[in-house]
Amino acid sequence: MSRQGAQCDWCGVELTEEMGYRLLWPDKSLGTAFCRLEHIVPFLMQKDQWHIWKAVTVPADAPSLSTATGDELGENALYLVHHRGEHRITDSFENKEALLGWARAGGHFAP
Ligand SMILES: [Zn+2]
């Protein structure tokens, strides 16, 4: 079995631990990986096939409110972790729809 998050779940490009995004769904022990934010959108809209990953937990530095809406997070929350070199930057979302809307708008780089 290959390392979890070893490739982008949309385009298949290989990923190291120092790059890409990991999308975690702790309530269901599910995870997915992406090379870039733009690939999350078509994945969620067209494919939406997650993997059962080991040790899917809420990241320690996860914001306690939704990055997309500022709303409270429920048990269904998703966590998007940007791996950039040694840095891990986490955003929190109350559900898939909130994440999708945020990602479609360009994430943190929205105008
Ligand atoms: Zn990709």
Side-chain angles (χ1 to χ4, degrees):
M1 188 183 143
S2 62
R3 177 174 54 85
Q4 59 188 32
Q7 56 183 196
C8 176
D9 278 303
W10 180 248
C11 72
V13 72
E14 287 190 27
L15 301 173
T16 69
E17 274 302 305
E18 284 72 47
M19 60 193 284
Y21 292 81
R22 305 297 181 276
L23 180 58
L24 308 175
W25 194 348
D27 189 52
K28 301 196 184 305
S29 294
L30 295 175
T32 51
F34 301 95
C35 63
R36 56 170 121 159
L37 187 64
E38 289 87 340
H39 286 180
I40 295 175
V41 176
F43 172 86
L44 288 178
M45 294 183 70
Q46 299 172 37
K47 192 174 174 190
D48 207 16
Q49 291 173 340
W50 298 56
H51 311 287
I52 295 172
W53 279 2
K54 291 194 182 110
V56 180
T57 56
V58 178
D61 62 345
S64 58
L65 297 175
S66 169
T67 296
T69 64
D71 288 348
E72 300 261 346
L73 303 169
E75 288 180 0
N76 210 28
L78 309 177
Y79 300 90
L80 181 64
V81 185
H82 188 182
H83 290 208
R84 202 162 59 190
E86 64 187 20
H87 301 288
R88 300 289 178 269
I89 302 120
T90 303
D91 284 297
S92 306
F93 301 91
E94 65 271 50
N95 54 40
K96 261 193 250 181
E97 289 68 31
L99 165 61
L100 188 55
W102 182 81
R104 288 177 93 166
H108 286 300
F109 304 106

